[in-house]
Amino acid sequence: MLLKNFIVFEGIDGAGTSTQIKKLCARNSKLLIPTAEPTDRATGRFLRQLLAGDFKLDERTTSYLFAADRCEHIYGEGGVEELLKAGRIVVSDRYFFSSLAYQSATCGKGIPRHVNAPFPLPEVLFYFEINPEVSLKRVESRDGKREIYEKIDYQKKTAALYDEVINEYENNPDGMKVIRVDATKSIDEIADFIYNTLINLNIIR
Ligand code: TMP
């Protein structure tokens, strides 16, 4: 199944997805609604504590938790499904492709695949491509504490798994469009590329 007018940005940490979502949604804040995973709901706040290293869990448990938060994100009150029904275009910073890359790097592919199989595909997936060494430098230049996944070996492993997942989904039978973004370009160039792509796809008119 595919959710029309649901757009997802994916990429390793520091690829620039959050910056681009802000820029895109600022172009028409009534129509374009930004959202993100982990969410800012109770399930997502618990995941943020985990990502901050406040406690440790088995990696398989983590896979289930990201999927539970995703369920809230899509089907919970005021969630993606509701916004789409109200005629909005929803743009999410990360979706289940993140789990297929990040969690597969720690607990293998089985559980992430299994728990994410029921989720609908977005209409468009923008994949931000960048070398993990470059993106991690961007992350390290930011203020604040590092999250548990922000380490070079892990980011390299995740980037390789992301590439596999994106290649696999590029020819999906449901018609989700997969668009690769050169994340090393300037912020404005990327913003224009994304906006023009959505106009060409007739999603933004
Ligand atoms: P972000 O807010 O910078 O995107 O950070 C979220 C972190 O959570 C990032 O390191 C990716 C990770 N993550 C997963 O490991 N699995 C998931 O399913 C999602 C949505 C995020």
Side-chain angles (χ1 to χ4, degrees), residues 59-125:
E59 298 295 347
R60 290 165 289 192
T61 311
T62 305
S63 286
Y64 287 105
L65 287 171
F66 274 112
D69 185 45
R70 186 156 299 130
C71 195
E72 271 304 297
H73 183 213
I74 302 292
Y75 304 112
E77 201 182 329
V80 172
E81 197 178 53
E82 223 174 86
L83 290 165
L84 293 173
K85 277 194 186 134
R88 305 299 168 88
I89 296 172
V90 182
V91 193
S92 179
D93 197 351
R94 301 191 178 282
Y95 190 42
F96 72 75
F97 309 95
S98 281
S99 280
L100 300 186
Y102 284 83
Q103 274 61 61
S104 296
T106 52
C107 75
K109 293 178 183 171
I111 291 176
R113 290 269 166 185
H114 183 68
V115 297
N116 286 293
F119 290 106
L121 292 173
E123 186 172 0
V124 187
L125 164 61

Side-chain angles (χ1 to χ4, degrees), residues 18-37:
S18 311
T19 305
Q20 289 301 330
I21 290 206
K22 278 196 208 101
K23 283 196 79 83
L24 175 63
C25 293
R27 295 198 193 224
N28 184 344
S29 60
K30 286 214 170 86
L31 179 66
L32 297 158
I33 311 296
T35 176
E37 291 185 8

Side-chain angles (χ1 to χ4, degrees), residues 44-57 145-149:
R45 288 198 296 275
F46 186 68
L47 280 164
R48 283 282 166 208
Q49 291 172 6
L50 174 68
L51 290 167
D54 292 359
F55 49 83
K56 281 198 171 138
L57 294 174
K145 206 174 153 234
R146 299 280 73 83
E147 289 186 337
I148 53 171
Y149 294 147

